[in-house]
Amino acid sequence: MNDGNDTRDNDGTGDGLLGWEAPSEEEELTARLLEEELRQAAAVLDPVPDDLRQLAVEAFALRELDARIAELTFDSLTDAIPVRGATDTPRMLTFQAGELTVDVEVTGDGLMGQVLPPQPARIEVLAGPRRPGPALTADELGRFTGDTPPAGPFALRLSAGTEVVVTEWLRA
């Protein structure tokens, strides 16, 4: 006798769907390959606009809503007077969030910087959701270095004590 709560169908599997069978491994593989082909076709025929991609990268940095945004207050590309004859000069950046200041020097060999006021911190170089960058550690004087120069858009996420600060996104 069926009281209405029995979800078994006529094959006795209890899946509640008459005639449904789980796909075979071959069918699952075929579906995954088809999905990948469709993704590739969409990327060629209807690519994501660069502006939208940039907005998505910036939004990814804001996934921690309690993080404060550090404003770019100095960029040697736009704020410094160029020195005649100087080549391959480092890019100097200064970010500020309240009382916290982060000075960063970006060169072809990597980056180095200091957190002020001096304090230990963990610094992540963000390069977007699919390319996590290196994690750096600031010492007790707030100094940090990284051997890999950022490529493309990047931002820094600093964790000092209970405070999290994320810098603006820049192009390397």
Side-chain angles (χ1 to χ4, degrees), residues 83-153:
V83 176
R84 186 171 27 160
T87 59
D88 199 27
T89 58
R91 184 176 183 185
M92 308 298 290
L93 304 166
T94 300
F95 299 95
Q96 191 152 15
E99 299 297 316
L100 184 76
T101 301
V102 182
D103 289 321
V104 181
E105 180 179 312
V106 180
T107 68
D109 297 327
L111 56 86
M112 71 170 118
Q114 185 172 18
V115 178
L116 297 168
Q119 59 188 296
R122 181 176 191 274
I123 297 107
E124 295 175 77
V125 180
L126 304 175
R130 294 181 185 242
R131 295 179 295 136
L136 311 172
T137 303
D139 63 16
E140 62 278 348
L141 297 176
R143 301 172 301 192
F144 59 91
T145 60
D147 296 337
T148 307

Side-chain angles (χ1 to χ4, degrees), residues 8-162:
R8 287 180 292 163
D9 50 9
N10 58 0
D11 65 358
T13 61
D15 59 19
L17 301 172
L18 294 175
W20 183 85
E21 293 182 26
S24 68
E25 284 185 36
E26 184 177 324
E27 291 170 325
E28 286 183 14
L29 178 62
T30 301
R32 282 195 297 268
L33 291 173
L34 177 61
E35 179 183 6
E36 182 58 31
E37 284 183 37
L38 290 172
R39 285 182 191 277
Q40 290 175 0
V44 170
L45 299 174
D46 189 20
V48 177
D50 289 336
D51 293 347
L52 182 59
R53 184 181 311 274
Q54 180 64 29
L55 286 173
V57 168
E58 290 171 359
F60 177 76
L62 297 177
R63 70 184 187 276
E64 296 179 63
L65 293 179
D66 61 341
R68 292 190 313 162
I69 303 298
E71 180 183 356
L72 179 66
T73 57
F74 178 82
D75 184 346
S76 63
L77 287 181
T78 58
D79 300 328
I81 299 172
V83 176
R84 186 171 27 160
T87 59
D88 199 27
T89 58
R91 184 176 183 185
M92 308 298 290
L93 304 166
T94 300
F95 299 95
Q96 191 152 15
E99 299 297 316
L100 184 76
T101 301
V102 182
D103 289 321
V104 181
E105 180 179 312
V106 180
T107 68
D109 297 327
L111 56 86
M112 71 170 118
Q114 185 172 18
V115 178
L116 297 168
Q119 59 188 296
R122 181 176 191 274
I123 297 107
E124 295 175 77
V125 180
L126 304 175
R130 294 181 185 242
R131 295 179 295 136
L136 311 172
T137 303
D139 63 16
E140 62 278 348
L141 297 176
R143 301 172 301 192
F144 59 91
T145 60
D147 296 337
T148 307
F154 76 98
L156 303 175
R157 179 186 298 125
L158 291 86
S159 302
T162 60

